[in-house]
Amino acid sequence: MRLHVVDHPLVAHKLTVLRDRRTPSMIFRQLAEELVMLLAYEATRDVAVESVQVETPVATTTGTTLARPRPLVVPILRAGLGMLEGMTKMAPSAEVGFLGMARNEETLDIVTYAERLPADLTGRHVFVLDPMLATGGTLIEAIRFLYERGAERVTCICLLGAPEGVARLEEALGEHDVDLYLAAVDERLDERSYIVPGLGDAGDRLYGLAE
Ligand code: URA
């Protein structure tokens, strides 16, 4: 796995406002979108492209377009939805699929409760969106699922990670080629598996259920 922590003043600034407990959902959503755009810029740096001819008002020249099959963007429900708009603004021709995953609190297994993806992902570069890499359980299952479907390459974009989650991903995905982009790796997980200092529950912060 290749870990990329995007070190940029605008990334750090937006993340700081996201962390602030007083930031209301409306601003949180807008900033999350902007932050994803910055992370997506880095995460798509080596996406496959092909040449196209383009006619300018002056001459014909060779330009660049995203190669086919087009990249597939997969937000993990629910909180990953808050990252979708930023990603599709940066890569509007990408296709979008959905994965709903949650932990069964009795067995602690990760359960896939919703899935809307192409049946065959052969040759596809998949961008997985999940704001908080905490224990890593969901992301590991999602990545395995996508590779089992035939994905050629998986790039994960998260806003924040915990060292525990990054280590677990690294250990669990040894044989898979994964790039992980984050705005920061925080200190640790607490006893509830929240990232410390983190930004709280990303789904609640995005969708307005915070205290
Ligand atoms: N999920 C969240 O939304 N926040 C955390 O801190 C950890 C997991």
Side-chain angles (χ1 to χ4, degrees):
M1 186 184 81
R2 286 174 294 276
L3 171 65
H4 313 260
V5 180
V6 179
D7 181 17
H8 189 289
L10 293 181
V11 168
H13 173 76
K14 288 179 197 302
L15 180 59
T16 302
V17 185
L18 287 178
R19 288 188 192 279
D20 189 334
R21 63 184 305 165
R22 294 166 305 180
T23 300
S25 283
M26 199 180 72
I27 305 292
F28 191 96
R29 277 198 297 274
Q30 187 187 325
L31 279 171
E33 180 182 324
E34 292 169 10
L35 183 51
V36 172
M37 289 170 78
L38 295 172
L39 297 178
Y41 178 77
E42 289 296 330
T44 52
R45 194 171 277 284
D46 62 353
V47 72
V49 293
E50 55 196 28
S51 297
V52 280
Q53 291 299 104
V54 58
E55 263 180 57
T56 81
V58 180
T60 300
T61 187
T62 304
T64 300
T65 187
L66 294 189
R68 286 175 181 269
R70 289 181 289 173
L72 180 70
V73 176
V74 178
I76 302 198
L77 307 179
R78 151 183 82 139
L81 277 184
M83 300 172 71
L84 181 58
E85 188 75 12
M87 186 68 197
T88 51
K89 273 194 176 149
M90 293 301 274
S93 62
E95 285 175 24
V96 180
F98 297 91
L99 261 184
M101 294 187 138
R103 193 164 66 165
N104 178 321
E105 293 304 332
E106 277 167 29
T107 63
L108 300 184
D109 290 338
I110 304 295
V111 185
T112 303
Y113 65 85
E115 179 256 300
R116 192 73 200 258
L117 294 171
D120 181 11
L121 296 178
T122 304
R124 305 297 293 265
H125 185 171
V126 183
F127 290 86
V128 179
L129 310 178
D130 194 8
M132 307 299 273
L133 169 57
T135 63
T138 308
L139 211 49
I140 289 167
E141 284 309 308
I143 293 165
R144 285 192 177 136
F145 185 98
L146 294 164
Y147 275 119
E148 275 163 25
R149 279 271 169 105
E152 182 172 307
R153 192 169 165 201
V154 176
T155 298
C156 301
I157 305 180
C158 303
L159 302 183
L160 269 182
E164 295 91 330
V166 173
R168 200 161 151 222
L169 225 68
E170 213 146 27
E171 200 182 293
L173 299 172
E175 79 281 17
H176 291 309
D177 184 29
V178 175
D179 285 277
L180 170 64
Y181 286 81
L182 295 162
V185 177
D186 274 4
E187 284 167 27
R188 62 184 169 86
L189 290 178
D190 70 9
E191 59 291 344
R192 297 178 307 156
S193 296
Y194 274 70
I195 298 175
V196 180
L199 50 75
D201 185 306
D204 289 355
R205 299 287 312 272
L206 280 162
Y207 300 116
L209 300 176
E211 52 187 303

